[in-house]
């Protein structure tokens, strides 16, 4: 009977509403889009910013800046973004508790606007310190965004499209990277007289989100479970689902609320000590570490060099590099379209496995490119394949998983840990890759091959599929590996609460069953 009901659910899923898509898009526009944009925006004006540092140094001290000093200042400017991200990840659980998911996203726009002002006016003020502080504040913005946004998207989405809506995070990151590459072209803002406008652009998505997001609902799960505002939660459900009767959705959240032992938000220490969540936590930590340590960031170090080896003139290399951003965005969109059919687990395992294969081939091709004239072209195809493989699953699903593997009260602490691992791993790659590259030369990518293989093996052995499951179902699927007694499943109780028999009855038996709850 339950299988029959489940099939009825899948066949009666509600259409996606404009309110839901609007909340996902504008939520991501002022959050993950800015993160992606900041990953690529510093590349084009690097030469001009270093010249500005030298000019400022001359005006202050009457002598040219030393080569080592300018390298140090530039390294700080680039890497302090990750330090800011770490600070944002630490702060997000406290802010979310006070302001909620949507409120945190709105507050975060203030950091983006302040950073845009500092970064764009630093040259006029003759202060390279403003650029460094601006990058730090932009990092804080991204650290908060990469935790608050996936949490918001996961909680506002019906479970049959939770993965697709969650992929807005990844898609807008890729669009941000691509936008940074396009605006950084010499014909646009990649000129000495215009580079500060590249940073002024940061305020535009933030202001756009500030204009739209206040008119969209807060997470109904947050309103009901943490604020205990059932009327507001009902209105939010109605707008997100596009229907008036949301009693089944409200009841499902009530079931989860009653099932939780502690109704208060759980602290970081409580989460770490809870044996029932041990493998969920390990899974999030490993997946998020692989997200950064899989080597995608290192790809950018080689792209221009490989293109030059292939014989492309220096003046057209930036335009060909745009293909990396285009492939990244396309792969993320395709992943968002197929994630609910294929599932999170297969996409993650395929993504990391394909990256391992491509890194192995790239190592081979790089070592042969001086012997065979057409080999650099194969190297570049491998780079595109690595990027596509990353964005097919590993690029966005770790954030979706973090929201899915933990119930409501544990989620802020879980995102804080995931964010910390994300930014520490990001900083580690930036710090260590130059040394790895120097030590291993053309074999540097084999390190990332090992990371991708180990990540795939772990996910194959441990991670259950989470598509179309409630948050409680997912928690119960870890009971066996956590070696705790499987709790009496609330699934049957949810089923009874959610089933509405029709008036058609034959010989005392129900012949038609409807299930309306989609959360």
């Amino acid at each position: 009977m339950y299988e029959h009901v489940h099939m009825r659910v899948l066949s009666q899923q509600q259409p996606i509403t404009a309110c839901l898509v609007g909340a996902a898009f504008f939520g991501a526009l002022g959050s993950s889009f800015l993160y992606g944009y900041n990953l690529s925006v510093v590349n084009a004006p690097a030469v001009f910013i270093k010249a500005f540092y030298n000019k400022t140094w001359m005006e202050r001290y009457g002598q040219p800046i030393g080569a080592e000093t300018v390298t140090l200042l530039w390294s700080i400017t680039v890497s302090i973004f990750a330090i800011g991200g770490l600070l944002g990840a630490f702060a997000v659980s406290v802010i979310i508790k006070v302001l909620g998911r949507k409120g945190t996203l709105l507050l975060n726009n203030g950091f983006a606007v302040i950073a845009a002002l500092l970064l764009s006016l630093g040259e006029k003020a003759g202060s390279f310190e403003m650029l460094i502080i601006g990058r730090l504040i932009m990092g804080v913005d991204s650290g908060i965004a990469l935790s608050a946004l996936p949490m918001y998207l996961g909680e506002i989405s019906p479970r049959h499209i939770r993965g697709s809506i969650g992929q807005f995070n990844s898609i807008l990151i890729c669009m941000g990277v691509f936008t940074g590459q396009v605006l950084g072209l010499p014909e646009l803002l990649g000129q000495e007289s215009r580079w500060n406008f590249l940073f002024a652009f940061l305020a535009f998505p933030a202001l756009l989100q500030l204009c739209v997001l206040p008119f969209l609902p807060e997470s109904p799960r947050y309103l009901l479970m943490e604020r205990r505002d059932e009327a507001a939660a009902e209105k939010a459900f109605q707008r997100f689902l596009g229907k008036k009767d949301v009693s089944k959705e409200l009841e499902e959240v009530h079931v989860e609320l009653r099932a939780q032992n502690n109704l208060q938000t759980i602290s970081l220490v409580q989460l770490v000590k809870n044996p029932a969540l041990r493998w969920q936590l390990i899974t999030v930590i490993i997946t998020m570490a692989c997200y950064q340590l899989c080597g995608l960031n290192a790809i950018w170090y080689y792209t221009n060099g490989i293109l030059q080896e292939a014989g492309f003139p220096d003046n057209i290399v930036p335009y060909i590099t745009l293909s990396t951003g285009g492939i990244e965005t396309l792969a993320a969109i395709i992943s968002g379209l197929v994630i609910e059919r294929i599932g999170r687990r297969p996409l993650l395992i395929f993504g990391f496995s394909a990256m391992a294969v491509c890194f192995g081939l790239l190592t081979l091709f790089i070592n042969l490119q001086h012997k065979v004239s057409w080999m650099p072209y194969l190297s570049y195809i491998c780079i595109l394949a690595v990027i596509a493989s990353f964005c097919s699953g590993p690029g966005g699903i770790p954030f979706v998983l973090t929201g899915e593997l933990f119930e409501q009260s544990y989620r802020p602490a879980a995102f804080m840990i995931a964010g910390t691992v994300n930014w520490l791993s990001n900083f580690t790659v930036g710090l260590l890759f130059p040394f790895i590259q120097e030590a291993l030369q053309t074999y540097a990518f084999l390190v990332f091959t090992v990371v991708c293989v180990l990540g795939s093996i772990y996910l194959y052995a441990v991670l259950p599929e989470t598509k179309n499951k409630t948050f409680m179902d997912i928690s119960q699927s870890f009971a066996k590996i956590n070696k705790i007694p499987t709790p009496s499943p609330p699934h049957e109780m949810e089923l009874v609460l959610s089933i509405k028999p029709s008036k058609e009855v034959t010989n005392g038996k129900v012949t038609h069953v409807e299930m309306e709850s989609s959360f």
Side-chain angles (χ1 to χ4, degrees):
M1 175 184 171
Y2 294 150
E3 266 184 41
H4 170 69
V5 172
H6 184 64
M7 294 303 295
R8 297 279 312 178
V9 175
L10 293 179
S11 65
Q12 292 185 356
Q13 288 159 357
Q14 293 105 5
I16 302 174
T17 63
C19 179
L20 182 60
V21 173
F25 177 77
F26 285 102
L29 183 66
S31 305
S32 49
F33 177 87
L34 289 179
Y35 167 70
Y37 184 79
N38 276 281
L39 292 179
S40 63
V41 73
V42 292
N43 294 331
V47 174
F48 308 131
I49 294 174
K50 289 176 184 177
F52 160 63
Y53 286 176
N54 186 52
K55 178 185 174 185
T56 305
W57 196 273
M58 279 284 291
E59 290 172 353
R60 288 186 189 180
Y61 306 110
Q63 59 183 17
I65 192 171
E68 291 183 359
T69 307
V70 75
T71 302
L72 176 64
L73 285 174
W74 176 244
S75 298
I76 291 172
T77 305
V78 174
S79 61
I80 205 166
F81 179 70
I83 302 298
L86 190 59
L87 294 175
F90 281 141
V92 72
S93 61
V94 176
I95 301 173
I96 274 182
K97 185 176 180 180
V98 176
L99 299 178
R101 281 61 169 152
K102 189 181 82 168
T104 300
L105 293 175
L106 289 172
L107 172 71
N108 208 27
N109 290 304
F111 291 114
V113 172
I114 292 169
L117 290 171
L118 288 169
L119 288 163
S120 60
L121 298 177
E123 184 189 27
K124 290 189 180 298
S127 170
F128 54 75
E129 293 88 351
M130 286 175 65
L131 267 66
I132 293 171
I133 295 169
R135 284 282 291 176
L136 175 68
I137 294 173
M138 201 61 235
V140 172
D141 173 274
S142 296
I144 293 171
L146 290 186
S147 292
L149 178 69
M151 209 181 304
Y152 180 62
L153 298 183
E155 291 179 12
I156 68 175
S157 310
R159 63 172 172 247
H160 69 280
I161 55 168
R162 195 167 57 222
S164 296
I165 295 297
Q167 284 293 79
F168 270 84
N169 180 46
S170 174
I171 293 168
L172 268 291
I173 288 175
C174 297
M175 288 179 66
V177 171
F178 186 61
T179 303
Q181 291 173 335
V182 171
L183 292 182
L185 291 173
E187 288 80 3
L188 297 175
L189 302 180
Q191 300 180 20
E192 189 168 9
S193 60
R194 300 178 185 172
W195 65 263
N196 48 7
F197 292 108
L198 280 170
F199 295 113
F201 178 79
L202 289 168
F204 177 67
L207 292 173
L208 199 56
Q209 190 194 76
L210 274 173
C211 292
V212 176
L213 201 59
F215 300 101
L216 296 168
E218 173 62 275
S219 157
R221 300 180 68 86
Y222 167 78
L223 291 169
L224 184 54
M225 298 185 77
E226 296 184 39
R227 288 287 174 89
R228 305 294 160 59
D229 189 343
E230 184 152 355
E234 182 179 11
K235 289 179 183 176
F237 269 133
Q238 288 170 341
R239 291 190 63 190
F240 282 132
L241 298 179
K243 63 179 187 178
K244 193 165 185 179
D245 182 11
V246 292
S247 56
K248 304 301 182 291
E249 284 74 19
L250 289 169
E251 188 54 51
E252 185 172 314
V253 179
H254 275 300
V255 169
E256 184 179 339
L257 189 59
R258 289 193 291 270
Q260 290 187 15
N261 296 325
N262 191 332
L263 303 182
Q264 301 299 317
T265 302
I266 302 301
S267 71
L268 185 68
V269 175
Q270 288 172 305
L271 172 58
V272 172
K273 286 184 175 180
N274 191 336
L277 297 170
R278 182 169 296 133
W279 282 97
Q280 290 95 311
L281 193 57
I282 292 171
T283 300
V284 164
I285 289 171
I286 289 177
T287 308
M288 199 59 75
C290 289
Y291 167 76
Q292 288 290 354
L293 300 178
C294 67
L296 189 80
N297 291 342
I299 278 290
W300 310 118
Y301 287 92
Y302 266 90
T303 303
N304 287 354
I306 288 173
L307 287 172
Q308 288 161 355
E309 288 285 343
F312 294 107
D314 288 350
N315 61 333
I316 69 165
V317 165
Y319 303 95
I320 301 173
T321 305
L322 285 179
S323 61
T324 60
I327 287 288
E328 203 174 13
T329 305
L330 181 62
I333 291 171
I334 292 172
S335 176
L337 293 174
V338 303
I339 187 173
E340 296 302 346
R341 293 185 180 183
I342 298 176
R344 288 74 156 139
R345 185 173 180 268
L347 284 175
L348 273 175
I349 294 170
F350 166 78
F352 282 126
S353 301
M355 287 182 77
V357 172
C358 293
F359 276 134
L361 291 173
L362 181 59
T363 302
L364 177 64
F365 296 153
I366 286 175
N367 279 283
L368 292 176
Q369 69 183 17
H370 295 294
K371 299 177 182 177
V372 183
S373 61
W374 44 265
M375 198 59 71
Y377 295 96
L378 291 182
S379 298
Y380 187 61
I381 290 171
C382 272
I383 285 177
L384 294 179
V386 167
I387 293 168
S389 301
F390 175 80
C391 292
S392 67
I397 294 177
F399 298 98
V400 176
L401 272 183
T402 305
E404 290 185 329
L405 297 188
F406 298 90
E407 293 176 13
Q408 189 81 13
S409 57
Y410 293 94
R411 211 166 283 141
F415 268 100
M416 179 179 172
I417 292 174
T420 302
V421 172
N422 176 40
W423 290 102
L424 282 176
S425 301
N426 180 303
F427 184 73
T428 301
V429 170
L431 186 67
L432 296 183
F433 182 71
F435 298 102
I436 294 172
Q437 188 179 0
E438 187 177 341
L440 300 180
Q441 299 294 323
T442 53
Y443 295 96
F445 286 116
L446 293 181
V447 174
F448 304 118
T449 303
V450 173
V451 172
C452 291
V453 168
L454 292 177
S456 298
I457 292 171
Y458 175 86
L459 292 168
Y460 180 81
V462 174
L463 182 67
E465 183 51 66
T466 61
K467 72 170 183 176
N468 205 38
K469 290 184 179 179
T470 68
F471 295 117
M472 295 182 70
D473 287 337
I474 296 166
S475 293
Q476 288 168 35
S477 65
F478 278 90
K480 186 175 180 181
I481 192 171
N482 283 322
K483 296 181 179 177
I484 60 168
T486 304
S488 56
H491 188 60
E492 286 90 349
M493 180 165 61
E494 289 184 56
L495 208 53
V496 171
L497 290 167
S498 305
I499 292 173
K500 181 177 73 176
S502 71
K503 295 179 180 178
E504 186 181 345
V505 178
T506 307
N507 296 327
K509 294 182 180 179
V510 178
T511 59
H512 175 69
V513 180
E514 292 181 0
M515 179 185 281
E516 296 185 355
S517 177
S518 57
F519 270 73

